[in-house]
Amino acid sequence: MNLLMVEMRRALHRRLVRVLVVLALVAIVIAGFVEFFASVGLDVVALQAKDGHDPAVMTDWWIAGSGDGVLSVSAFLLLMGGLIGGASVVGAEWRAGTISTVLTWEPRRLRLHAARVGSAGLLAAVIALALQVVFLLAFLPSVLAHGTTVGADGEWALSLAGALARVSLLTATAAVLGCAIATLGRNTAAAIVVAWGWLAIGEGLVRGLLPEYSQWLVGENATVVLTWAGLDSRDATSFSPVTAGAVLAVYTVSFAVLSAALFQRRDVAGT
């Protein structure tokens, strides 16, 4: 537990992690001000006609079962931030050549790697949850002054809470994957390029050429978990939300174990 706390403090001191959080907060403040002034003088019909879903209408924050809503915008950005932040926790150390110094302090590599991956996942989940709450609260003045809370009952609040939790878990998954891939590549940029190259190009090719296997893709399963609904289409079907979550967990654990095995055997004398 002590090593986990140390790694969490070290991760929070990474410049890139702090920059990502500050950028997110600045974007949230700007979004709140823009929405407040953009919603002046509009009724609910005009607000929803403007963009389809408007933050001044509280029930548009999250629409259960569809994945639509204001929160889905933040989900994609948080997953990107989680991947980059998780990769930087490891990649920056390899790039700076300080990994051998760290191992003189904690020579048990597997223990160090487990603490590092665990701290990245925990921090990503906590930061993602906090940023989502701040993001939604930034639109509260617009709701109270110009919008409406009609339909925001207990059932809706429960579905919103579930969405917040799932986005936080998906962000933690992205951070752990970023940390593991950066360990394999010994570089932050390598982890980002590999991950997004696969998501943008590799998975796109699978969807186009082998749609019957698309239910195994990371993007499809992440979307199923986020929306908590299937993605059945004419060409392919998707797993259930629980199975999709299990598939993502298997991928994440596999990368974490593979990176741990490589880190255990890697020669760090030259770094």
Side-chain angles (χ1 to χ4, degrees):
M1 181 61 72
N2 183 51
L3 183 58
L4 183 67
M5 296 300 294
V6 169
E7 286 300 319
M8 291 176 71
R9 286 198 294 270
R10 294 181 68 224
L12 287 173
H13 280 84
R14 295 288 179 198
R15 183 181 303 172
L16 184 56
V17 173
R18 292 186 173 188
V19 168
L20 288 172
V21 173
V22 170
L23 286 177
L25 291 173
V26 170
I28 289 171
V29 171
I30 293 174
F33 274 105
V34 169
E35 174 57 27
F36 184 84
F37 291 108
S39 59
V40 173
L42 300 178
D43 58 21
V44 175
V45 175
L47 287 171
Q48 292 183 310
K50 185 177 57 162
D51 298 317
H53 303 294
D54 194 281
V57 180
M58 184 172 277
T59 52
D60 280 356
W61 287 3
W62 178 252
I63 300 173
S66 68
D68 291 332
V70 178
L71 192 63
S72 61
V73 177
S74 69
F76 176 73
L77 298 176
L78 284 171
L79 293 185
M80 288 182 61
L83 176 68
I84 296 171
S88 73
V89 169
V90 172
E93 208 151 65
W94 283 103
R95 183 177 178 82
T98 56
I99 187 65
S100 56
T101 304
V102 175
L103 288 173
T104 60
W105 167 69
E106 174 50 73
R108 292 168 292 185
R109 296 190 183 191
L110 291 181
R111 188 169 182 265
L112 175 64
H113 185 71
R116 184 170 293 169
V117 171
S119 65
L122 284 172
L123 278 177
V126 172
I127 292 174
L129 182 59
L131 287 177
Q132 288 179 94
V133 172
V134 174
F135 176 66
L136 295 179
L137 289 177
F139 298 122
L140 198 55
S142 302
V143 174
L144 299 177
H146 313 131
T148 178
T149 60
V150 172
D153 53 14
E155 184 179 357
W156 173 82
L158 191 61
S159 68
L160 176 65
L164 291 171
R166 293 195 297 277
V167 172
S168 298
L169 288 175
L170 287 173
T171 305
T173 300
V176 171
L177 284 173
C179 195
I181 298 174
T183 302
L184 295 172
R186 299 195 296 184
N187 192 293
T188 302
I192 296 171
V193 170
V194 168
W196 288 108
W198 168 250
L199 291 173
I201 300 174
E203 296 205 344
L205 290 174
V206 173
R207 291 188 192 97
L209 301 176
L210 301 169
E212 65 272 22
Y213 294 106
S214 61
Q215 63 182 348
W216 295 97
L217 298 177
V218 174
E220 263 70 358
N221 287 293
T223 304
V224 169
V225 171
L226 172 63
T227 61
W228 211 244
L231 298 175
D232 294 344
S233 67
R234 185 177 59 183
D235 299 323
T237 59
S238 62
F239 290 123
S240 68
V242 174
T243 305
V247 170
L248 289 178
V250 169
Y251 290 163
T252 306
V253 171
S254 298
F255 269 98
V257 170
L258 178 61
S259 61
L262 190 62
F263 183 54
Q264 174 73 359
R265 299 172 59 86
R266 178 165 280 164
D267 179 12
V268 299
T271 60

